[in-house]
């Protein structure tokens, strides 16, 4: 079991110097996710620009406590999704999920996943998959809330 | 019996099946071969299941879902694979809908237990009604009695026809707007009756009641599609389906497992714990407090694989043929009457009977001296016995390893019983 | 450590013990030998236990307490003999006080569960208080939270000292006339602390409270005398004491088991069942609804026999020596701090620690690559972690098969962890 | 496993023609016992003569449904205890209990147990021991109630 397959240099770099860390204003939704097994937690905020279907991810900020994998993953994710249309970012989420659940048999696409391809090795360490997904789950949940919120405002209006 | 079922028996080689079950080679007192006709009580286990248990402990034993090490990964993978196997086996599309419990009784108590504490409309309270039937196993009676006693709800039940079928004539008076839960055995462990659970579920859902199906005798014997029953919950138990003891299943619709409150609290069922209060993990973990029956779940997965290998249609066809043969054999003895359907139509493999003038304990004692293992007593179905005016009965229950020769030995044994007690 | 305990280690041959555990011969990835230091999570099983399980299924499998046949007699005798063995093992004079459950979590939920429905003074309700501690396993927190939430009672708890011991300074303010239950871990699964349960029980009994002891980590490690603790109930679990999964124990004083209402309802726990209402069998049957974990109980009996064969004084002495050696080893590494007592005094075998600058997941991942299996996370003790300002820790837990060489491998591994993550 | 060791001729005789069956007046206490495993039931009445410590068992009557062993056992028991001082009858109860729990290793005393020695074989059939004891348990319980009743009357007087 090669440790280096798991701990790619990119991952350790992001872990030591995480991008976009710290909670920031403005934001449309904030979520808090926990990994029940180890207690790792993340509070994550999403800010979308615009309020219609064509939304873009304007900012992602977070406060996370966790292992190298979960910390690096949320850092890489922020890099990836900030500035992207929500729909494209969601496709990346799905792609990353597929990669993680692929037991190491899925070939990641470096063009779309960029630094996140470094997590391909995590798929071979089942106990760590949840770590790599924690930030993505929190992000997906926050986006769902952010896009639901205005809709329900419209509904009640 | 449908043509499909007949076709399925053609390839069924009971002797090859028997070779998988080490205990069937056992000799009892006086060097008599074991004739095991107590499978509705608990089934015997094939080599394949014993090996799965043993290899787990020998090579991969670890706690699950908690540890970051190779054994932990292996045990967790095996445990979750078993969940997926069991889900597929009963036609559940989502493994998260399969909760591992210790037996069917816990599964049924789980549902009854949480309904006392549910939020909103699901909560059972004064004025609400729970509907069961007079042919239920005690494990599908007592949990509802406790729930009703403790919450002020009322327990009602379907009666039985003389043939041992549900008397559905009063269904509209029984299942009403007040009904919160309907809980019914799919196959009776005493009368053998197969109940029309899908029909009952449909009626129950019309009034917004939850539908619980006790599948303890159905899952071992029939090809089962839990979602197809229309039920919200189906309970069953490992040890009756060639699996180990110590493991049961509650299949439940995911929305309900998400919505209802927890049952047992503790490790593994939490999202987070503070002294001031806790939140819960999503199902199935939410209902699996503490270290689960890990080896047992893996053993149950192996059991489901074993049954799938034989094909449940073939198992059902074999069971059907043997049951018909048993009913025929019993009919041939005077002074013997069967409780429950006397023809093998909509009927499972449990055959309960009384021998005039001989108490069931004495019947089974004499049979035992010939190596024939049957059950004597009320089979955890006292109300059904009372319905037929008896306190107890003798029950012969065949399974996938039972041969016609064994049934001949049973029939022959009953003749000897009658002679021994001078009622012949 | 007393002289008696030192003496006991003299005859202890850990290599001979290891030969009984097949899994310890296992090689992991890169052909590394398994260094299993996750025994507080679950223990490994000796050949003797595996054989008891296998032989039960192969030769004597049957349901218990229900059947009049030779297999039924055999299985029932084995099951009840296991109960007697377990009773003797923990110093209970009456086997009827030993209730078999599925794990310690169920045992604890059982007690908490029935107190919501008890008659008279035992019933927990508004204004009543339940006292636990901040070092409890989630399985001894959540059941009481649920009980309090559901009945309107109040949960209170002992805090911890910086050394990881119970802060008993406020005992008189905490245990008062309002206290209905005091539930405390005998040995902490995270901090390793051994608590003065007899003292706490005495104080609790002065105010008429029930005393529940979570013996999950104590029974595997220490010579135990349940009655001697003064407790009313002691919960423990098979899989941590070289027994199978799927089996736990609740020892309870007979009068209480008789007086309190049932927990799970169903087959085997009844005296009689009518549709209109039921009555209960005497304990322990009253608390064993449905088909019990039969093979698992028999396996647990074999486990208790195995431990008795080694002698629990010898097991405790070995555990003590290894724990002291582990603490010493960890002290030798800079940047490592132990949570809980740092000396092996009134201390069990679980040693949780943090490595500055490296998350426990990463610590255990690197250790795993050297074959060392430890646990990383909150070990089902989130409040205790919060008390010490951390979210999680790494835990090494030795047992009767652990060698000093294995601890050396652990210590060496932690050095490598620090190098790998560049904090050394 | 010899059936005849279990079903002694004496047992079958008592089973076919049970002695003292049927509920009778007068009685001081009535109990109802159930064998939870098989559902067998007995309702048993005890009448004691006198109200002081030196009580005698004046009558035992019962209504029982059960197997040959349980039916024969209560019949034999009635024969044995009727007319005996309560203390002596209780000694017989203890002796019978010891015999049943002895796994076939206890040698019964024919002088005291009389026809009840026929049950020696039952001890080798563990599932049937409860059957043999059902009547005795009901009797012991009834005697306890009958002797407690006057005492509590005295206490409240
Ligand atoms: C102190 C303590 N209490 C309770 C438990 C729960 O035991 P189980 O998981 O077997 O229910 C454990 C172990 O997980 C424990 O260490
Ligand atoms: C119909 C039915 N329901 C429930 C049960 C209870 O199953 P278990 O004893 O495994 O809890 C049984 C078997 O005992 C049964 O036959």
């Amino acid at each position: 079991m090669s440790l280096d397959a798991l701990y790619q240099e990119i991952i350790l770099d992001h872990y030591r110097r995480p991008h976009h860390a710290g909670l920031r204003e403005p934001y449309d939704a904030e979520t808090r996710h926990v990994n029940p097994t180890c207690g790792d937690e993340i509070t994550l905020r999403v800010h979308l620009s615009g309020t219609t279907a064509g939304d873009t991810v304007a900012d992602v900020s977070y406060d996370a406590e966790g292992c190298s994998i979960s910390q690096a993953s949320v850092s890489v994710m922020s890099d990836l999704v900030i500035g992207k249309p929500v729909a494209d970012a969601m496709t990346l989420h799905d792609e990353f999920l597929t990669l993680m659940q692929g037991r190491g048999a899925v070939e990641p696409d470096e063009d779309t996943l960029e630094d996140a391809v470094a997590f391909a090795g995590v798929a071979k360490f089942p106990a760590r998959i949840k770590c790599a997904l924690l930030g993505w789950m929190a992000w997906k949940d926050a986006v769902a809330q952010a896009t639901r919120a205005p809709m329900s405002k419209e509904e009640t209006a | 019996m449908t043509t499909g079922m007949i076709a399925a028996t053609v390839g069924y080689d009971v002797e090859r099946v028997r070779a998988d079950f080490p205990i069937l080679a056992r000799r009892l007192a006086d060097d008599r071969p074991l004739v095991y006709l107590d499978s509705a009580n608990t089934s015997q286990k094939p080599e394949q299941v014993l090996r799965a248990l043993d290899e787990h402990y020998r090579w991969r034993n670890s706690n699950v879902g908690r540890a970051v090490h190779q054994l932990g990964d292996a045990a967790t993978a095996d445990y979750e694979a078993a969940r997926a196997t069991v889900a597929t086996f009963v036609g559940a599309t989502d493994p998260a809908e399969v909760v591992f419990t210790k037996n069917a009784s816990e599964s049924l108590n789980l549902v009854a237990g949480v309904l006392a504490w549910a939020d909103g409309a699901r909560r059972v309270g004064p004025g609400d009604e729970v509907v069961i039937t007079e042919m239920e196993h005690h494990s599908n009676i007592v949990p509802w009695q406790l729930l009703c006693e403790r919450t002020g709800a009322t327990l009602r039940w379907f009666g039985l026809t003389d043939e041992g079928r549900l008397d559905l004539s009063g269904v509209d008076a029984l299942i009403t707007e007040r009904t919160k839960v309907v809980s019914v055995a799919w196959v009776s462990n005493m009368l053998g009756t197969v109940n029309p659970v899908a029909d009952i579920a449909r009626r129950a859902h019309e009034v917004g009641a939850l539908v619980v199906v006790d599948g303890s005798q159905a899952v071992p014997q029939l090809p089962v599609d839990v979602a197809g029953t229309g039920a919200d919950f189906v309970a069953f138990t490992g040890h009756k389906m060639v699996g180990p003891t110590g493991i049961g299943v509650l299949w439940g619709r995911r929305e309900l497992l998400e919505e209802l409150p927890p049952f047992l609290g503790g490790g593994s069922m939490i999202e987070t714990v503070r002294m001031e209060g806790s939140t819960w993990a999503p199902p199935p973990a939410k209902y699996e407090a503490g270290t689960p029956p890990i080896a047992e779940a893996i053993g149950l997965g192996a059991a489901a694989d074993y049954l799938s290998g034989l094909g449940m249609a073939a198992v059902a066809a074999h069971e059907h043929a043997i049951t018909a043969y048993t009913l025929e054999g019993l009919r041939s003895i005077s002074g013997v009457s069967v409780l429950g359907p006397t023809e093998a139509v909509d009927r499972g493999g449990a055959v309960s009977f009384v021998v005039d003038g001989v108490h069931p304990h004495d019947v089974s004692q004499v049979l035992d001296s010939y190596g024939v293992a049957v059950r004597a007593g009320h089979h955890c179905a006292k109300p059904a016995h009372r319905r037929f005016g008896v306190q107890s009965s003798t029950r012969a229950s065949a399974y996938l390893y039972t041969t016609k020769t064994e049934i001949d030995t049973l029939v022959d044994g009953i003749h000897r019983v009658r002679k021994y007690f001078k009622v012949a």
Side-chain angles (χ1 to χ4, degrees), chain A, chain B:
Chain A
M1 210 67 82
S2 164
L3 271 185
D4 297 339
L6 178 67
Y7 295 119
Q8 304 270 329
E9 213 37 66
I10 297 180
I11 292 183
L12 294 178
D13 283 347
H14 275 275
Y15 172 45
R16 292 201 194 94
R17 282 170 300 275
H19 306 177
H20 310 286
L23 293 170
R24 280 183 300 280
E25 307 269 351
Y27 65 97
D28 306 305
E30 177 180 296
T31 55
R32 185 181 180 78
H33 274 225
V34 177
N35 181 341
T37 339
C38 62
D40 285 354
E41 292 185 1
I42 186 167
T43 304
L44 183 140
R45 294 178 176 177
V46 162
H47 176 47
L48 305 182
S49 67
T51 55
T52 58
D55 281 347
T56 291
V57 181
D59 193 22
V60 171
S61 69
Y62 58 88
D63 180 26
E65 178 154 353
C67 63
S68 57
I69 303 295
S70 75
Q71 300 280 76
S73 181
V74 67
S75 170
V76 168
M77 176 193 77
S78 311
D79 276 353
L80 269 177
V81 300
I82 292 174
K84 286 228 171 54
V86 168
D88 294 5
M90 205 54 88
T91 306
L92 285 174
H93 164 276
D94 296 347
E95 212 175 317
F96 190 74
L97 192 64
T98 307
L99 178 63
M100 287 300 102
Q101 294 173 341
R103 293 163 193 267
V106 173
E107 199 53 59
D109 180 349
E110 184 146 10
D111 287 345
T112 54
L113 285 179
E114 303 178 22
D115 276 6
V117 297
F119 292 87
V122 176
K124 284 183 217 130
F125 295 79
R128 307 304 295 278
I129 294 171
K130 276 189 189 161
C131 311
L133 290 177
L134 187 66
W136 286 91
M137 295 297 165
W139 174 81
K140 188 187 176 189
D141 196 5
V143 169
Q145 284 183 29
T147 50
R148 207 185 309 127
M151 271 179 59
S152 59
K153 260 183 230 147
E154 275 166 40
E155 277 164 9
T156 56
Chain B
M1 190 151 90
T2 68
T3 337
M5 288 173 88
I6 294 172
T9 44
V10 172
Y12 197 82
D13 181 351
V14 69
E15 289 306 331
R16 223 201 50 216
V17 171
R18 289 176 69 81
D20 289 331
F21 290 78
I23 207 171
L24 297 181
R26 202 198 136 140
R27 296 264 151 177
L28 299 174
D30 301 331
D31 202 36
R32 300 206 180 259
L34 169 64
V35 175
Y36 187 74
L37 295 174
D38 197 17
S39 289
N41 198 355
T42 199
S43 69
Q44 296 303 341
K45 326 297 173 200
E47 193 68 61
Q48 288 83 338
V49 169
L50 302 188
R51 215 149 45 213
L53 286 172
D54 199 59
E55 283 175 6
H56 166 74
Y57 283 127
R58 240 165 243 280
W59 296 107
R60 295 156 77 86
N61 177 64
S62 169
N63 215 322
V64 294
R66 301 176 166 188
V68 185
H69 51 64
Q70 295 168 58
L71 288 185
D73 284 349
T76 305
D78 293 351
Y79 180 69
E80 294 304 331
R83 192 192 305 283
T85 301
V86 169
T88 305
F89 183 68
V90 296
T93 48
D94 180 0
E97 294 188 329
V98 167
V99 174
F100 285 126
T101 61
K102 69 172 174 178
N103 55 23
S105 302
E106 185 192 349
S107 301
L108 293 163
N109 277 277
L110 192 167
V111 182
V114 302
L115 292 176
W117 308 115
D119 287 328
R122 294 289 177 208
R123 185 177 205 128
V124 170
D128 294 333
E129 295 180 354
V130 173
V131 175
I132 60 173
T133 90
E134 210 176 354
M135 70 166 79
E136 297 310 310
H137 187 280
H138 294 165
S139 293
N140 200 26
I141 299 176
V142 180
W144 305 111
Q145 289 180 331
L146 291 175
L147 174 67
C148 289
E149 252 174 52
R150 289 168 176 182
T151 61
T154 303
L155 187 68
R156 304 187 67 190
W157 53 87
F158 285 101
L160 309 182
T161 69
D162 290 343
E163 235 239 321
R165 304 215 176 260
L166 286 186
D167 177 2
L168 295 171
S169 59
V171 60
D172 290 334
L174 210 49
I175 299 183
T176 70
E177 301 297 323
R178 287 185 302 279
T179 310
K180 276 289 180 63
V181 188
V182 177
S183 188
V184 184
W186 194 333
V187 177
S188 157
N189 71 307
M190 179 214 159
L191 303 166
T193 323
V194 178
N195 290 317
V197 285
D199 295 345
I200 296 171
R202 205 172 310 112
R203 183 70 190 100
H205 280 154
E206 280 170 22
V207 299
L210 282 180
V211 176
V212 184
V213 168
D214 176 0
S216 303
Q217 296 290 340
V219 175
Q221 296 183 38
L222 305 174
V224 153
D225 170 8
V226 284
T229 59
D232 298 303
F233 294 101
V234 178
F236 55 102
T237 196
H239 67 95
K240 294 190 205 278
M241 51 187 286
V242 310
T245 52
I247 182 87
V249 173
L250 177 68
W251 170 84
R253 285 203 293 114
R254 192 201 260 261
E255 317 84 81
L256 287 167
L257 296 176
E258 275 168 3
E259 173 194 334
L260 291 169
F263 182 52
L264 307 182
S268 311
M269 57 72 75
I270 57 100
E271 179 190 57
T272 194
V273 173
R274 294 176 168 266
M275 296 307 284
E276 298 78 14
S278 303
T279 54
W280 321 128
K286 178 180 173 185
Y287 290 106
E288 295 184 351
T291 302
I294 301 168
E296 292 74 12
I298 292 167
L300 180 59
D305 279 338
Y306 183 81
L307 294 173
S308 299
L310 297 181
M312 282 308 292
V315 168
H318 177 73
E319 184 89 37
H320 184 272
I322 287 283
T323 305
Y325 191 73
T326 306
L327 289 167
E328 201 179 295
L330 292 178
R331 253 196 312 270
S332 74
I333 316 172
S334 62
V336 169
S337 28
V338 166
L339 306 170
T342 52
E343 303 289 338
V345 177
D346 288 339
R347 200 189 192 298
V351 181
S352 298
F353 57 93
V354 292
V355 178
D356 284 357
V358 192
H359 187 278
H361 260 185
D362 296 318
V363 173
S364 72
Q365 191 78 62
V366 175
L367 289 175
D368 183 52
S369 73
Y370 295 103
V372 180
V374 296
R375 186 165 172 191
H378 49 63
H379 326 316
C380 302
K382 286 193 93 167
H385 278 88
R386 186 169 301 119
R387 162 64 180 80
F388 291 97
V390 294
Q391 208 140 30
S392 55
S393 63
T394 305
R395 182 183 69 187
S397 52
Y399 200 27
L400 43 81
Y401 34 64
T402 306
T403 64
K404 289 192 172 180
T405 315
E406 291 184 306
I407 301 300
D408 293 340
T409 308
L410 166 71
V411 169
D412 185 53
I414 298 173
H415 282 297
R416 290 167 192 260
V417 166
R418 299 184 72 237
K419 275 200 208 96
Y420 194 90
F421 282 96
K422 306 199 165 78
V423 296

